[in-house]
Structures are given as C-alpha cells and as structure tokens.
C-alpha cells in the first residue's frame, strides 16, 4: 500500500483588495487585483502545497483576530505575507501585528514573502527548499 503524499500546509496572508488605496497605483484597480489574486490562488491549488488563503482588512485589530483564529484551528508549515501588507508604509502596524501573531501562535513556522500575487508559488518553493 502506498502512503498518501503529505503536502506542506501554507497560509497566504494578503490585504483584501477592497482595503487597498489605489490612488498611488494608477495602473491597478480593485477588479484587476481581485482577478490577479484569484488566478494566483487557482494556480496554487495544483501544486505541492496545501494552501489556505487569508485576505485581511487594513485594520490591525481585525487582521490579528482573523489570523489568530485560523492559526488556532489549523497547523501550517509555511506562511507567505503579501507585499500590500508589508511594503506600504501605512500598513507598518498591520505588518507588525500579523508577524507577531503568527510568531506567537505558530512557533517554528517558516516565513516567506512575495512581490506580487504571481510570485507566491516561487516564494513558497524558495522557503520550502531551504528546510
């Protein structure tokens, strides 16, 4: 009998498209970003990872509550935190809170970071390979 393949469990955390300020991004709108995130999540379904996407609000309190709930209910090997959460100065507190709740609730989890929805798989593979 063959053993079932156990895929690494990965949590992807990104800013919900409705929480973005598009005024500084003239070539991007909510519809486009939603489509890009959806396409990236669809592509992740048929990979070596078991993916759980989590799109958070810009509110650090709300994001912390949502991430904490996910981490209480499931165990993850990897977490990918998207660029909108970590790279925009107005989301510094959000990023700190997300990092700290993940580190507290999931000791030993591996962190990775993408540069766009389309590079999420690359980020996960990079960190998974270094294990």
């Amino acid at each position: 009998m063959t053993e079932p393949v156990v895929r690494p469990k990965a949590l992807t955390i990104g800013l919900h498209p409705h929480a973005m300020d598009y005024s500084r991004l003239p070539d991007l709108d909510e519809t486009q970003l939603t489509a890009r995130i959806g396409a990236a999540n669809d592509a992740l379904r048929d990979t070596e990872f078991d993916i759980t996407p989590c799109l958070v609000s810009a509110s650090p309190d709300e994001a912390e509550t949502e991430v904490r709930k996910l981490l209480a209910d499931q165990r993850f090997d990897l977490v990918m935190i998207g660029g909108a959460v970590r790279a925009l100065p107005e989301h510094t507190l959000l990023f700190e809170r997300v990092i700290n709740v993940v580190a507290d609730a999931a000791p030993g989890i591996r962190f990775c970071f993408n540069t766009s929805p389309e590079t999420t798989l690359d980020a996960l593979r990079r960190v998974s390979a270094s294990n």
Side-chain angles (χ1 to χ4, degrees), residues 45-68:
R45 285 191 184 93
D46 295 323
T47 67
E48 65 271 29
F49 300 100
D50 179 3
I51 303 292
T52 299
C54 175
L55 294 174
V56 298
S57 86
S59 160
D61 290 339
E62 291 175 14
E64 180 178 342
T65 298
E66 187 168 353
V67 172
R68 191 174 297 282

Side-chain angles (χ1 to χ4, degrees), residues 24-120:
R24 294 184 308 186
L25 307 165
D27 296 330
L28 187 64
D29 63 27
E30 185 176 344
T31 301
Q32 292 169 321
L33 184 56
T34 299
R36 288 175 59 194
I37 291 169
N41 285 339
D42 288 346
L44 289 169
R45 285 191 184 93
D46 295 323
T47 67
E48 65 271 29
F49 300 100
D50 179 3
I51 303 292
T52 299
C54 175
L55 294 174
V56 298
S57 86
S59 160
D61 290 339
E62 291 175 14
E64 180 178 342
T65 298
E66 187 168 353
V67 172
R68 191 174 297 282
K69 181 178 178 344
L70 267 172
L71 292 170
D73 294 341
Q74 299 179 58
R75 184 193 156 288
F76 295 94
D77 303 297
L78 307 164
V79 61
M80 190 291 306
I81 300 174
V85 171
R86 62 172 209 285
L88 300 174
E90 63 269 24
H91 296 146
T92 299
L93 179 58
L94 173 65
F95 179 49
E96 286 177 355
R97 295 276 292 275
V98 167
I99 287 285
N100 286 321
V101 73
V102 171
D104 288 346
I109 198 167
R110 301 287 306 236
F111 289 84
C112 62
F113 308 100
N114 67 4
T115 55
S116 70
E118 295 82 8
T119 64
T120 299

Side-chain angles (χ1 to χ4, degrees), residues 11 13 15 35 54 93 100 130:
L11 175 62
I13 301 173
L15 190 64
C54 175
L93 179 58
N100 286 321
S130 68

Side-chain angles (χ1 to χ4, degrees), residues 12-23:
T12 61
I13 301 173
L15 190 64
H16 198 288
H18 73 255
M20 286 284 295
D21 174 6
Y22 296 95
S23 64

